[in-house]
Amino acid sequence: MQETTQSKLAHTIALANQKGGVGKTTTAVSVAGELANRGLRVLLVDCDPQGNATTSLGLAKDTLDNTTYDLLMETAHASETIQMSGRTRLDLVPADQDLAGAAVDLTNAERRERRLLDALAPLRASYDYVLLDCPPSLGILTINALRAADSVIIPLQCEYLALEGLAQLKTTLDRVRERLNPTLRIAGVVMTMYDGRTNLAQQVVHEVQRHFPRLIFKTLIPRSVRLSEAPSHGQMINEYDPQSRGARAYAALTDELLQREERSL
């Protein structure tokens, strides 16, 4: 097990893709759980008004006092928004539908693109990793996450239009680096919902490898019923079915991520 390094500031990773249904929340929750299992203290921040990461950890959204919305509106201190997940070393800043109003409420607000960065600053010494689960859009919530992040993981579904979406996202990341966060880097592209029985999935992976050979993670996340079932039980895949293909894949992805992080230091 790796020891917690409280003397260092948490590495903050955004999980972003403007397209929905690519396994972004599943990846955020699963990697958060795997990092915690390795002895690292993790904060998962739900930045999506749908609150899927919150539900995936078994929290009822109708019982929440403070959420990511309060964090962005500065109506609650960061420490007041943290919820215990019921898992050792894994905490959550939850979200609900109120977060959808942030885009309007932040329109004329000062420091509108760096609200999340400023709010999370006092917490970074208490964690090893902060994971930001972004909504499926490139609006102000995702921009806040990218401004707050050190790096970004891009989950990419193995489908025909994947490369087009990746190109659009890379353009957005370039603009964020230019205007808001010059040190932001891509931690990697993770291929999700992979079905090796289909030629299409293999072709998409090959194309991403050809265009972005240094970015793509070697680990492929399989299309899995068990991965789809786990959130309905309020469990992560390593709790719901730790021996499943999906659980093993996310364990391997986390190992690969940690190896990349060590090399980037």
Side-chain angles (χ1 to χ4, degrees):
M1 301 284 281
Q2 299 188 32
E3 294 297 326
T4 314
T5 54
Q6 295 294 335
S7 60
K8 297 180 180 179
L9 295 180
H11 187 88
T12 304
I13 304 176
L15 289 97
N17 191 322
Q18 72 272 27
K19 189 177 184 304
V22 299
K24 179 172 47 57
T25 296
T26 298
T27 300
V29 171
S30 300
V31 170
E34 286 295 333
L35 289 170
N37 278 351
R38 286 157 173 74
L40 299 163
R41 278 187 51 81
V42 183
L43 178 65
L44 176 61
V45 183
D46 194 342
C47 301
D48 188 346
Q50 296 178 81
N52 289 336
T54 300
T55 302
S56 295
L57 291 181
L59 276 72
K61 286 182 283 189
D62 57 358
T63 64
L64 302 175
D65 292 324
N66 295 312
T67 67
T68 307
Y69 176 80
D70 298 284
L71 205 60
L72 293 172
M73 294 298 107
E74 301 178 337
T75 56
H77 188 272
S79 61
E80 297 174 320
T81 66
I82 296 175
Q83 297 278 327
M84 296 180 65
S85 72
R87 289 89 171 170
T88 305
R89 296 180 296 275
L90 176 58
D91 294 332
L92 171 74
V93 176
D96 59 18
Q97 64 276 6
D98 289 348
L99 188 55
V104 175
D105 295 339
L106 288 174
T107 300
N108 297 313
E110 294 182 359
R111 312 180 336 276
R112 63 192 299 265
E113 296 94 354
R114 58 175 296 149
R115 288 291 184 99
L116 189 59
L117 172 70
D118 293 341
L120 292 177
L123 302 178
R124 293 187 64 189
S126 300
Y127 294 94
D128 296 298
Y129 281 88
V130 176
L131 301 186
L132 312 174
D133 184 31
C134 299
S137 70
L138 297 177
I140 189 62
L141 296 176
T142 298
I143 295 300
N144 259 271
L146 296 176
R147 177 65 182 89
D150 300 305
S151 62
V152 56
I153 291 176
I154 305 171
L156 204 66
Q157 188 177 356
C158 294
E159 65 170 24
Y160 181 70
L161 297 177
L163 277 176
E164 180 179 341
L166 179 58
Q168 293 172 352
L169 182 56
K170 281 190 91 274
T171 298
T172 298
L173 293 176
D174 288 341
R175 290 175 178 170
V176 170
R177 275 193 291 261
E178 180 182 342
R179 302 175 186 177
L180 298 171
N181 187 357
T183 61
L184 180 67
R185 61 183 178 81
I186 299 178
V189 177
V190 54
M191 304 303 299
T192 63
M193 303 180 190
Y194 176 77
D195 186 347
R197 298 170 299 179
T198 68
N199 290 332
L200 176 60
Q202 296 177 43
Q203 290 170 2
V204 171
V205 171
H206 176 73
E207 283 299 301
V208 176
Q209 288 173 333
R210 188 165 67 87
H211 284 83
F212 308 102
R214 296 183 180 180
L215 294 181
I216 189 170
F217 284 104
K218 295 178 181 178
T219 304
L220 302 175
I221 306 302
R223 184 177 293 277
S224 166
V225 173
R226 307 301 274 174
L227 282 173
S228 301
E229 291 174 346
S232 66
H233 296 272
Q235 292 183 311
M236 299 178 291
I237 188 60
N238 62 7
E239 299 168 326
Y240 182 65
D241 190 349
Q243 299 305 316
S244 64
R245 291 186 305 134
R248 293 197 303 269
Y250 275 115
L253 175 65
T254 303
D255 288 338
E256 195 175 348
L257 172 65
L258 290 172
Q259 291 168 5
R260 289 192 180 195
E261 292 302 314
E262 288 178 3
R263 290 198 298 269
S264 68
L265 294 177

